[in-house]
PDB file of all heavy atoms in Angstrom:
ATOM      1  N   CYS A 281      28.987  80.342  15.297  1.00 35.00           N
ATOM      2  CA  CYS A 281      28.685  79.252  14.370  1.00 35.00           C
ATOM      3  C   CYS A 281      29.390  77.981  14.823  1.00 35.00           C
ATOM      4  O   CYS A 281      30.598  77.952  14.967  1.00 35.00           O
ATOM      5  CB  CYS A 281      29.153  79.619  12.964  1.00 35.00           C
ATOM      6  SG  CYS A 281      28.971  78.283  11.781  1.00 35.00           S
ATOM      7  N   VAL A 370      14.647  84.667   9.607  1.00 97.00           N
ATOM      8  CA  VAL A 370      13.911  83.991   8.537  1.00 97.00           C
ATOM      9  C   VAL A 370      14.763  82.864   7.972  1.00 97.00           C
ATOM     10  O   VAL A 370      15.938  83.060   7.651  1.00 97.00           O
ATOM     11  CB  VAL A 370      13.536  84.965   7.401  1.00 97.00           C
ATOM     12  CG1 VAL A 370      12.756  84.238   6.315  1.00 97.00           C
ATOM     13  CG2 VAL A 370      12.735  86.137   7.941  1.00 97.00           C
ATOM     14  N   PHE A 408      12.999  67.120   7.006  1.00 98.00           N
ATOM     15  CA  PHE A 408      14.081  68.094   6.910  1.00 98.00           C
ATOM     16  C   PHE A 408      13.918  69.254   7.892  1.00 98.00           C
ATOM     17  O   PHE A 408      14.902  69.891   8.275  1.00 98.00           O
ATOM     18  CB  PHE A 408      14.159  68.660   5.483  1.00 98.00           C
ATOM     19  CG  PHE A 408      14.861  67.772   4.501  1.00 98.00           C
ATOM     20  CD1 PHE A 408      14.244  66.635   4.008  1.00 98.00           C
ATOM     21  CD2 PHE A 408      16.147  68.064   4.064  1.00 98.00           C
ATOM     22  CE1 PHE A 408      14.880  65.803   3.106  1.00 98.00           C
ATOM     23  CE2 PHE A 408      16.800  67.243   3.163  1.00 98.00           C
ATOM     24  CZ  PHE A 408      16.167  66.106   2.678  1.00 98.00           C
ATOM     25  N   GLU A 410      12.843  69.869  11.204  1.00 98.00           N
ATOM     26  CA  GLU A 410      13.390  69.890  12.555  1.00 98.00           C
ATOM     27  C   GLU A 410      14.922  69.950  12.558  1.00 98.00           C
ATOM     28  O   GLU A 410      15.500  70.776  13.270  1.00 98.00           O
ATOM     29  CB  GLU A 410      12.888  68.677  13.330  1.00 98.00           C
ATOM     30  CG  GLU A 410      11.419  68.756  13.698  1.00 98.00           C
ATOM     31  CD  GLU A 410      11.176  69.560  14.966  1.00 98.00           C
ATOM     32  OE1 GLU A 410      11.818  69.273  15.984  1.00 98.00           O
ATOM     33  OE2 GLU A 410      10.351  70.490  14.916  1.00 98.00           O
ATOM     34  N   ILE A 412      16.879  71.119  10.210  1.00 96.00           N
ATOM     35  CA  ILE A 412      17.288  72.426   9.688  1.00 96.00           C
ATOM     36  C   ILE A 412      17.208  73.474  10.793  1.00 96.00           C
ATOM     37  O   ILE A 412      18.084  74.338  10.927  1.00 96.00           O
ATOM     38  CB  ILE A 412      16.419  72.832   8.476  1.00 96.00           C
ATOM     39  CG1 ILE A 412      16.862  72.053   7.232  1.00 96.00           C
ATOM     40  CG2 ILE A 412      16.502  74.335   8.204  1.00 96.00           C
ATOM     41  CD1 ILE A 412      16.001  72.301   6.006  1.00 96.00           C
ATOM     42  N   LEU A 509      -4.309  75.722  -9.880  1.00 97.00           N
ATOM     43  CA  LEU A 509      -5.397  75.345  -8.981  1.00 97.00           C
ATOM     44  C   LEU A 509      -5.892  73.955  -9.380  1.00 97.00           C
ATOM     45  O   LEU A 509      -6.355  73.744 -10.502  1.00 97.00           O
ATOM     46  CB  LEU A 509      -6.542  76.344  -9.066  1.00 97.00           C
ATOM     47  CG  LEU A 509      -7.732  76.072  -8.134  1.00 97.00           C
ATOM     48  CD1 LEU A 509      -7.314  76.201  -6.681  1.00 97.00           C
ATOM     49  CD2 LEU A 509      -8.879  77.038  -8.445  1.00 97.00           C
ATOM     50  N   HIS A 535     -15.277  70.807  13.119  1.00 98.00           N
ATOM     51  CA  HIS A 535     -16.214  69.694  13.293  1.00 98.00           C
ATOM     52  C   HIS A 535     -15.505  68.466  13.840  1.00 98.00           C
ATOM     53  O   HIS A 535     -16.022  67.782  14.747  1.00 98.00           O
ATOM     54  CB  HIS A 535     -16.889  69.376  11.962  1.00 98.00           C
ATOM     55  CG  HIS A 535     -17.742  68.143  12.005  1.00 98.00           C
ATOM     56  ND1 HIS A 535     -18.970  68.101  12.635  1.00 98.00           N
ATOM     57  CD2 HIS A 535     -17.533  66.889  11.493  1.00 98.00           C
ATOM     58  CE1 HIS A 535     -19.488  66.894  12.524  1.00 98.00           C
ATOM     59  NE2 HIS A 535     -18.636  66.136  11.834  1.00 98.00           N
ATOM     60  N   VAL A 542     -11.815  67.225  21.587  1.00 98.00           N
ATOM     61  CA  VAL A 542     -10.553  67.876  21.944  1.00 98.00           C
ATOM     62  C   VAL A 542     -10.673  69.376  21.709  1.00 98.00           C
ATOM     63  O   VAL A 542     -11.458  69.825  20.853  1.00 98.00           O
ATOM     64  CB  VAL A 542      -9.375  67.313  21.120  1.00 98.00           C
ATOM     65  CG1 VAL A 542      -9.182  65.829  21.414  1.00 98.00           C
ATOM     66  CG2 VAL A 542      -9.572  67.537  19.621  1.00 98.00           C
TER      67      VAL A 542
END
Side-chain angles (χ1 to χ4, degrees):
C281 174
V370 181
F408 280 75
E410 288 277 308
I412 283 176
L509 182 65
H535 173 74
V542 298

